[in-house]
Amino acid sequence: MLSLATLSLRLGVSSCHGSRRSIATVISGIKTSKLVRERLKAEVEAMKNQFSGFRPSLVVLQVGDRDDSNLYISTKLKAAAEIGIEAKHVRLPSSTTQDEVLRSIRSINEDDSVHGLIVQLPLDSVNAIDNELITDTVSPEKDVDGLSCINAGKLSRGDLKHCFIPCTPNGCMELIRQTGVSVAGKHAVVIGRSKIVGAPMHDLLLWSHATVTTCHSKTADLPEQVGRADILVVGAGRAEMVRGEWVKEGAVVIDCGINHIPDATKASGKRVVGDVHYASASQRAGFITPVPGGVGPMTVAMLMENTVQSAQRFLLKNQLRR
Ligand code: NDP
């Protein structure tokens, strides 16, 4: 029989040893994302063997040259290469017009050898570009970021099998699954209602049969709402906003936040913290994600998952056509 410690290690969860009073079990995004990437690598290998060298392929379209975007893109390309996904980086100059970006997207949409297309946001252009128009021009069948209205609409209606789920909330769900806590029947609270994190997170929890409350900047009684959460997912972009004393004893706490705060002890003069005050929350929560090393690594893993899924759908569609 497996000991609790062995089982926890396999699941990517471990006891929080940061402080003597800590009780939360830490949900590691690093361990969990590694498991996902290993599974995907095996699936890609199987696809390659079964369909004479076929490989899933992903295009990352960038406009301009932002340093943060360059870093995110290189992480995605590296993850793709490790899994065996063919990834291509298309970089357009910051002088590119909206029409030119749309033309590039349409031409990639029509290319059957590409299964996933993401447009790296924010766009770094000297011209006015409508982000909504850009994300909605990506073919829903290749929209592995899950940001088009078609995919968002399907998700909000609970049609999870026929859409692409945005990567960050999809990663959060995977981390919740790792805890072994059943979502059905629980009270879940999401802080944030953005298209990329909060809104799809609400939908995913709802269709996993939780009763969901979504909070935002106009929510009047945030601590009270948080106190009701069996499952709490925070994506507000406010450093350490959620205090430990708000958190319900034993809750599952998933922190999407990535915030840089000054820290004179670091060579860089800053450090990364989440939207949850980790030190106090980890003393009340049952499970908690760290920042860094929690949701962040899962986002990239889920992009890879969506790309592999898109390639599988492509193969299935073409087999059925034959
Ligand atoms: P947005 O700024 O688009 O949305 C923030 C949301 O939080 C909004 O809905 C806003 O409400 C709400 N909010 C802001 N302040 C408060 C407050 N004081 N009380 C309650 N709600 C508040 O951010 P994103 O959704 O893009 O990102 C959220 C966080 O997640 C950020 O820290 C970001 O860095 C991180 N992130 C992490 C990713 C990862 O891979 N780990 C990926 C994407 C994001 P309102 O709608 O009323 O303005």
Side-chain angles (χ1 to χ4, degrees):
M1 206 161 106
L2 288 178
S3 70
L4 190 61
T6 316
L7 186 64
S8 297
L9 259 178
R10 286 199 184 168
L11 292 175
V13 294
S14 59
S15 290
C16 182
H17 298 297
S19 135
R20 223 158 34 92
R21 286 174 58 218
S22 296
I23 55 162
T25 296
V26 180
I27 319 164
S28 168
I30 295 173
K31 285 182 192 162
T32 309
S33 65
K34 190 164 174 267
L35 294 178
V36 172
R37 283 187 276 118
E38 281 167 4
R39 171 174 54 76
L40 293 175
K41 192 173 177 182
E43 284 179 27
V44 169
E45 189 61 29
M47 246 189 249
K48 214 165 102 185
N49 293 337
Q50 197 181 343
F51 298 95
S52 26
F54 174 92
R55 289 210 293 162
S57 107
L58 171 71
V59 171
V60 183
L61 183 65
Q62 181 184 18
V63 177
D65 190 24
R66 281 175 63 113
D67 285 343
D68 55 352
S69 293
N70 292 338
L71 185 65
Y72 291 135
I73 291 169
S74 74
T75 309
K76 291 169 189 174
L77 297 178
K78 190 165 162 259
E82 277 169 18
I83 291 166
I85 294 172
E86 203 173 304
K88 190 171 156 198
H89 179 192
V90 176
R91 196 204 307 255
L92 303 174
S94 54
S95 57
T96 312
T97 64
Q98 176 169 289
D99 278 349
E100 286 166 337
V101 182
L102 294 174
R103 265 202 297 280
S104 289
I105 294 174
R106 288 190 187 113
S107 118
I108 299 165
N109 282 345
E110 281 161 22
D111 181 348
D112 268 354
S113 69
V114 177
H115 312 110
L117 166 59
I118 63 167
V119 181
Q120 186 68 39
L121 298 174
L123 299 169
D124 173 25
S125 173
V126 295
N127 300 301
I129 298 187
D130 177 350
N131 278 356
E132 292 281 310
L133 183 60
I134 296 297
T135 47
D136 267 338
T137 301
V138 174
S139 159
E141 292 184 354
K142 298 188 181 187
D143 171 29
V144 287
D145 258 344
L147 296 179
S148 67
C149 287
I150 300 280
N151 280 313
K154 285 184 178 176
L155 177 59
S156 76
R157 288 184 172 187
D159 189 7
L160 270 60
K161 288 212 169 74
H162 301 104
C163 69
F164 287 111
I165 300 167
C167 304
T168 301
N170 206 8
C172 293
M173 285 307 293
E174 190 63 45
L175 292 173
I176 295 169
R177 269 191 287 277
Q178 292 293 318
T179 66
V181 172
S182 160
V183 175
K186 296 290 182 337
H187 189 174
V189 172
V190 178
I191 306 184
R193 55 179 166 181
S194 70
K195 288 179 189 130
I196 193 164
V197 181
M201 193 70 234
H202 164 103
D203 295 339
L204 275 175
L205 287 162
L206 182 69
W207 293 109
S208 302
H209 313 300
T211 301
V212 190
T213 302
T214 296
C215 303
H216 45 77
S217 65
K218 305 291 185 290
T219 298
D221 52 352
L222 195 62
E224 205 175 306
Q225 297 296 341
V226 169
R228 294 201 190 105
D230 302 308
I231 297 169
L232 174 68
V233 183
V234 191
R238 299 278 178 271
E240 301 181 321
M241 176 184 77
V242 173
R243 312 302 297 181
E245 45 294 7
W246 302 2
V247 173
K248 185 175 176 178
E249 292 271 359
V252 175
V253 177
I254 308 288
D255 187 354
C256 302
I258 302 175
N259 310 285
H260 297 270
I261 61 166
D263 184 343
T265 68
K266 303 280 176 200
S268 62
K270 58 186 180 179
R271 72 188 156 98
V272 177
V273 296
D275 291 347
V276 175
H277 186 261
Y278 185 85
S280 56
S282 62
Q283 293 185 32
R284 284 177 69 88
F287 296 89
I288 191 164
T289 56
V291 176
V295 174
M298 292 305 293
T299 299
V300 177
M302 291 298 126
L303 175 65
M304 301 302 130
E305 167 104 57
N306 280 352
T307 305
V308 172
Q309 203 177 87
S310 182
Q312 284 163 341
R313 287 180 190 169
F314 171 84
L315 285 171
L316 191 66
K317 204 164 105 185
N318 282 286
Q319 266 183 329
L320 291 176
R321 267 195 204 140
R322 276 188 207 141

